[in-house]
Short mmCIF file of all heavy atoms in Angstrom, two decimals:
data_model
loop_
_atom_site.label_atom_id
_atom_site.label_comp_id
_atom_site.label_asym_id
_atom_site.label_seq_id
_atom_site.Cartn_x
_atom_site.Cartn_y
_atom_site.Cartn_z
N ARG A 170 -60.72 71.69 151.07
CA ARG A 170 -61.53 72.14 149.93
C ARG A 170 -61.64 71.00 148.92
O ARG A 170 -60.73 70.17 148.82
CB ARG A 170 -60.89 73.37 149.30
CG ARG A 170 -60.77 74.53 150.28
CD ARG A 170 -60.19 75.76 149.63
NE ARG A 170 -61.08 76.28 148.60
CZ ARG A 170 -60.79 77.33 147.84
NH1 ARG A 170 -59.64 77.96 148.01
NH2 ARG A 170 -61.64 77.76 146.94
N PRO A 171 -62.72 70.98 148.15
CA PRO A 171 -62.89 69.86 147.21
C PRO A 171 -61.79 69.80 146.15
O PRO A 171 -61.42 68.72 145.70
CB PRO A 171 -64.27 70.09 146.59
CG PRO A 171 -64.75 71.42 147.06
CD PRO A 171 -63.87 71.88 148.17
N GLU A 172 -61.27 70.96 145.74
CA GLU A 172 -60.21 71.00 144.72
C GLU A 172 -59.04 71.81 145.24
O GLU A 172 -59.24 72.83 145.90
CB GLU A 172 -60.70 71.73 143.44
CG GLU A 172 -61.96 71.15 142.80
CD GLU A 172 -61.71 69.82 142.13
OE1 GLU A 172 -60.54 69.56 141.75
OE2 GLU A 172 -62.67 69.03 142.01
N GLY A 173 -57.85 71.41 144.89
CA GLY A 173 -56.66 72.22 145.16
C GLY A 173 -56.28 72.29 146.63
O GLY A 173 -56.65 71.43 147.44
N HIS A 174 -55.54 73.36 146.96
CA HIS A 174 -55.03 73.50 148.33
C HIS A 174 -56.15 73.84 149.31
O HIS A 174 -57.12 74.49 148.94
CB HIS A 174 -54.00 74.64 148.37
CG HIS A 174 -52.77 74.36 147.58
ND1 HIS A 174 -51.92 73.33 147.89
CD2 HIS A 174 -52.25 74.96 146.48
CE1 HIS A 174 -50.92 73.31 147.03
NE2 HIS A 174 -51.10 74.29 146.16
N PRO A 175 -55.98 73.45 150.57
CA PRO A 175 -56.95 73.86 151.57
C PRO A 175 -56.85 75.36 151.86
O PRO A 175 -55.87 76.01 151.44
CB PRO A 175 -56.54 73.06 152.81
CG PRO A 175 -55.11 72.70 152.59
CD PRO A 175 -54.88 72.63 151.12
N TYR A 176 -57.84 75.90 152.54
CA TYR A 176 -57.72 77.27 153.08
C TYR A 176 -56.87 77.14 154.35
O TYR A 176 -57.21 76.36 155.25
CB TYR A 176 -59.11 77.83 153.43
CG TYR A 176 -59.04 79.14 154.16
CD1 TYR A 176 -59.03 80.35 153.48
CD2 TYR A 176 -58.95 79.18 155.56
CE1 TYR A 176 -58.94 81.56 154.15
CE2 TYR A 176 -58.85 80.38 156.24
CZ TYR A 176 -58.85 81.56 155.53
OH TYR A 176 -58.74 82.75 156.19
N VAL A 177 -55.77 77.88 154.42
CA VAL A 177 -54.86 77.76 155.59
C VAL A 177 -54.39 79.13 156.03
O VAL A 177 -53.99 79.94 155.18
CB VAL A 177 -53.59 76.94 155.24
CG1 VAL A 177 -52.72 76.74 156.48
CG2 VAL A 177 -53.92 75.60 154.63
N PHE A 178 -54.45 79.40 157.32
CA PHE A 178 -53.65 80.52 157.83
C PHE A 178 -52.83 80.02 159.00
O PHE A 178 -53.18 79.04 159.67
CB PHE A 178 -54.50 81.75 158.20
CG PHE A 178 -55.36 81.60 159.43
CD1 PHE A 178 -54.82 81.61 160.71
CD2 PHE A 178 -56.74 81.48 159.31
CE1 PHE A 178 -55.62 81.50 161.84
CE2 PHE A 178 -57.55 81.36 160.44
CZ PHE A 178 -56.98 81.36 161.70
N ASP A 179 -51.76 80.70 159.26
CA ASP A 179 -50.86 80.34 160.37
C ASP A 179 -50.06 81.57 160.73
O ASP A 179 -49.24 82.03 159.92
CB ASP A 179 -49.91 79.22 159.92
CG ASP A 179 -48.88 78.87 160.99
OD1 ASP A 179 -49.09 79.23 162.16
OD2 ASP A 179 -47.88 78.23 160.64
N PHE A 180 -50.32 82.14 161.88
CA PHE A 180 -49.54 83.32 162.26
C PHE A 180 -49.26 83.36 163.74
O PHE A 180 -49.98 82.76 164.55
CB PHE A 180 -50.24 84.62 161.82
CG PHE A 180 -51.68 84.76 162.21
CD1 PHE A 180 -52.05 85.06 163.51
CD2 PHE A 180 -52.67 84.61 161.25
CE1 PHE A 180 -53.38 85.21 163.85
CE2 PHE A 180 -54.02 84.76 161.58
CZ PHE A 180 -54.36 85.05 162.89
N ALA A 181 -48.18 84.04 164.08
CA ALA A 181 -47.85 84.32 165.47
C ALA A 181 -48.87 85.34 165.98
O ALA A 181 -49.40 86.16 165.21
CB ALA A 181 -46.45 84.91 165.56
N THR A 182 -49.13 85.32 167.29
CA THR A 182 -50.00 86.37 167.86
C THR A 182 -49.16 87.58 168.30
O THR A 182 -49.72 88.59 168.73
CB THR A 182 -50.84 85.82 169.03
OG1 THR A 182 -49.99 85.05 169.88
CG2 THR A 182 -51.96 84.94 168.50
N SER A 183 -47.85 87.47 168.19
CA SER A 183 -47.02 88.67 168.25
C SER A 183 -47.14 89.34 166.88
O SER A 183 -47.59 88.70 165.92
CB SER A 183 -45.56 88.29 168.54
OG SER A 183 -45.16 87.20 167.73
N ALA A 184 -46.74 90.61 166.78
CA ALA A 184 -46.89 91.33 165.51
C ALA A 184 -46.20 90.58 164.38
O ALA A 184 -46.63 90.66 163.23
CB ALA A 184 -46.34 92.74 165.66
N ILE A 185 -45.16 89.85 164.72
CA ILE A 185 -44.38 89.08 163.75
C ILE A 185 -43.67 87.99 164.53
O ILE A 185 -43.45 88.14 165.74
CB ILE A 185 -43.36 90.01 163.01
CG1 ILE A 185 -42.71 89.35 161.81
CG2 ILE A 185 -42.30 90.54 163.98
CD1 ILE A 185 -43.55 89.37 160.55
#
Side-chain angles (χ1 to χ4, degrees):
R170 300 183 65 183
E172 303 289 335
H174 294 296
Y176 172 90
V177 184
F178 71 73
D179 175 17
F180 50 75
T182 46
S183 45
I185 191 82

